[in-house]
Amino acid sequence: PLDCYDACRVTVEENGALKGDKNHPVTRGYLCPHLNHYGEHERITAARLKGKEIPLSEALEALVEVLRRSKPHETLYYRGSGNVGLMQRSTEHFFAHFQAVGTSGSLCDGAGEAGILQGRGSNQLLSPQMIAHSEAVVVWGRNPHVTHSHLLPFLEGKTLIVIDPVVTPLAAKADLHVQIKPHCDLHLALILSRFAMIEGSHDIAFLEEHAPDYEEFYELTQTVRIKATLDAIDVTLGQIGSILALLQGKRTAILVGAGVQKYRNGAEVLRAIDAFGAVLGLFGKAGCGVSFLGDSTAEIDTPFATIKKRVSKPTVDFSKYNCVFVQGGNPLSQMPASTRVRGSFASAGFRVYFGLYENETSRAADLVIPARSFLEKNDFRSSYGDYTLQEMPRIVETPVGISEYDLTKILCDAFGFSLETEEGCLEYFRRQVEYYEGVGYRPGSPEVPYAEGFPNGTFEFPDEFDMGIVGQDGCWVISPKPARGLNSQFHRCEGAYLHPDAGFAEGESVTLSSPAGEVWMRVRHDSRLRRDCVLIYAGTPDLNVLTPALLSYEGESAVFQEYKIKVEKNDEKF
Ligand SMILES: Nc1nc2c(c(=O)[nH]1)N[C@H]1C(S)=C(S)[C@@H](COP(=O)(O)OP(=O)(O)OC[C@H]3O[C@@H](n4cnc5c(=O)[nH]c(N)nc54)[C@H](O)[C@@H]3O)O[C@H]1N2
Ligand SMILES: Nc1nc2c(c(=O)[nH]1)N[C@H]1C(S)=C(S)[C@@H](COP(=O)(O)OP(=O)(O)OC[C@H]3O[C@@H](n4cnc5c(=O)[nH]c(N)nc54)[C@H](O)[C@@H]3O)O[C@H]1N2
Ligand SMILES: [Mo]
């Protein structure tokens, strides 16, 4: 159920230990640190009203009371991605009937997905099993050792190119690592397309049939000034040649991660990488394609009503609401522009936190309702890293907390709204699962994505780009995912990582500042970084004090890496 590509199938031993299912084609018998240590993280066990512990039944009565007093348009339903199970959506059913306000857009992959939809018309991914058929893999702004470790066995023995500002574990063993400057992937993708067409490695048969505007696109790529651009993005002509030579004639998968699109032009970046894939003719062929975080609920129907009126998630102003209901998320840490967010949350009328763990948001809430973990409730989950749709039955009985479904039931009963029985909801999902060799999959999963062509008939190349590289001073701040944490869950990192030659001593205290705010952190050295970057792992407390309350130009996404930041020594001791 955790927010990862892998969607592991877990078995629970008699003694409660979690094991990776050996018979699952992706999980293959092992788990990551999150699940290996799942039981060790301290849970919220008691409900709380204004700081005072109360029985769960009283907390639920208080919630009903607050909702009775709150006008629908002054009630906000905010769901994070702490658990990506489908039953998480049951609560939205209540809030939809209540006519509350919901959120649209994303803190995660919305910008990239918008670019994909513009070009291809749908966002189909390559599963690990599909990637197994590739001969070459380009890992572009993605760090599978940390974020998708079950993909690694499928990359063995392939020609490997990594495009990442950090020497990630895969970069260290790749045939070619382009240690690109952050925010420059759009330029690289355009230059690659241009040279592919100059060299004649473009797939004319594919382009004529599926992407007929390629000549106009070639003209667009000619507007890029090669030398000046390569210098600006820190890539050499030799590397461009090597990339094309390494991919020449090979079944190629380009695996793009969240890293390239944490910018306002994130949609353009994905669209340009897709365009490079189209130039090489990678769509619709086994072992080939461009794959981003997929749309995990594509083709799945839900039995739940969905909210109509929505405001953008990354910039939501909590102060406008009399009642804010936060479920499965920690917006006070994970939304951009924390200072703004914390101020607006403090000014909201009444704040409810429904979750598993204590965090910035639970501590600022008026009412805290403990949730049940995935082991303690019935659910289904799909994945953004493959096409599985798997049932997660309740395994553990507990008196602690309440499931999303049971909470929804209480609210619907109190307000007289209709709700399918729990078994009815589960059966609704169960009916859609398609089984193959003992594993459940989403309905209509493709054998080869885009084998039938693109949903809109053709691939749409972009016809314009904003090529300006933002001329701000300071360091690029990059915030990749931590190995032992899951966003703000489990272990949380601390400190700002810099190259040892960037001019700061290990352990010294620095002030980091951006137009959004200022924080102090301790310096940690990491020689895998560029000297113009500061790396702060996602989930580090106060990281988002530095990030802007802006939306991507397309896709309503947060843009965590848009602002450069200043790093200055301060002589203070912590
Ligand atoms: N262990 C662990 N696993 C996780 C998560 C977690 O928190 N912890 N989070 C889950 C979630 S919510 C998500 S969305 C996925 C995301 O997982 P990934 O798609 O792997 O995304 P990130 O870790 O954010 O960044 C990936 C890489 O992008 C690089 N990068 C940063 N900026 C740029 C840039 O401008 N250009 C290029 N080319 N590369 C850049 C970073 O150095 C990093 O190596 O992981 C999921 N899996
Ligand atoms: N600077 C910066 N900020 C980022 C990112 C970044 O790369 N850089 N990454 C962004 C991305 S990709 C994402 S996806 C977001 C994630 O941000 P959020 O969606 O806020 O997710 P988490 O931080 O994982 O918080 C999840 C909370 O969900 C609760 N939870 C877990 N399971 C359940 C459950 O079954 N039921 C209920 N009710 N609650 C549960 C836990 O208490 C946990 O504290 O952060 C974003 N923020
Ligand atoms: Mo995410």
Side-chain angles (χ1 to χ4, degrees), residues 81 83 330 334 353 356-357 377 404 479 481 488 544:
S81 54
N83 175 325
N330 182 12
Q334 295 309 101
Y353 171 86
L356 289 177
Y357 306 115
K377 61 194 174 199
E404 284 67 25
S479 51
K481 303 299 183 189
S488 73
N544 280 319

Side-chain angles (χ1 to χ4, degrees), residues 197-210:
M197 292 193 268
I198 293 174
E199 285 186 0
S201 35
H202 55 313
D203 183 338
I204 296 178
F206 172 86
L207 291 167
E208 289 289 344
E209 189 180 348
H210 297 290

Side-chain angles (χ1 to χ4, degrees), residues 263-335:
Y263 306 102
R264 294 195 92 182
N265 70 344
E268 281 187 344
V269 175
L270 255 295
R271 202 163 172 203
I273 295 174
D274 263 4
F276 175 54
V279 164
L280 296 182
L282 299 183
F283 293 102
K285 298 172 189 164
C288 298
V290 182
S291 184
F292 180 59
L293 289 82
D295 174 1
S296 62
T297 55
E299 312 292 334
I300 301 176
D301 283 334
T302 93
F304 306 123
T306 51
I307 288 177
K308 294 205 174 57
K309 183 175 179 343
R310 292 172 185 268
V311 293
S312 291
K313 190 175 201 179
T315 53
V316 51
D317 180 356
F318 295 107
S319 69
K320 289 199 174 132
Y321 301 93
N322 246 325
C323 175
V324 173
F325 184 91
V326 176
Q327 169 190 333
N330 182 12
L332 269 55
S333 164
Q334 295 309 101
M335 273 177 65

Side-chain angles (χ1 to χ4, degrees), residues 184-309:
C184 295
D185 304 279
L186 169 64
H187 307 72
L188 175 61
L190 292 175
I191 290 177
L192 283 169
S193 288
R194 174 159 169 195
F195 276 88
M197 292 193 268
I198 293 174
E199 285 186 0
S201 35
H202 55 313
D203 183 338
I204 296 178
F206 172 86
L207 291 167
E208 289 289 344
E209 189 180 348
H210 297 290
D213 294 336
Y214 69 95
E215 278 167 355
E216 284 91 326
F217 178 61
Y218 178 59
E219 278 166 30
L220 181 67
T221 66
Q222 283 181 310
T223 60
V224 181
R225 289 164 55 223
I226 300 293
K227 188 172 176 322
T229 307
L230 286 175
D231 287 348
I233 73 175
D234 227 356
V235 176
T236 65
L237 208 48
Q239 288 175 317
I240 299 290
S242 301
I243 294 176
L244 294 175
L246 283 166
L247 302 184
Q248 181 69 41
K250 295 202 182 82
R251 286 192 300 277
T252 298
I254 303 178
L255 310 181
V256 189
V260 302
Q261 51 96 64
K262 298 178 186 179
Y263 306 102
R264 294 195 92 182
N265 70 344
E268 281 187 344
V269 175
L270 255 295
R271 202 163 172 203
I273 295 174
D274 263 4
F276 175 54
V279 164
L280 296 182
L282 299 183
F283 293 102
K285 298 172 189 164
C288 298
V290 182
S291 184
F292 180 59
L293 289 82
D295 174 1
S296 62
T297 55
E299 312 292 334
I300 301 176
D301 283 334
T302 93
F304 306 123
T306 51
I307 288 177
K308 294 205 174 57
K309 183 175 179 343

Side-chain angles (χ1 to χ4, degrees), residues 133-154:
H133 298 289
S134 309
E135 294 162 307
V137 177
V138 182
V139 178
W140 199 328
R142 184 153 157 180
N143 185 15
H145 276 86
V146 167
T147 62
H148 195 182
S149 59
H150 293 85
L151 174 65
L152 295 170
F154 296 85

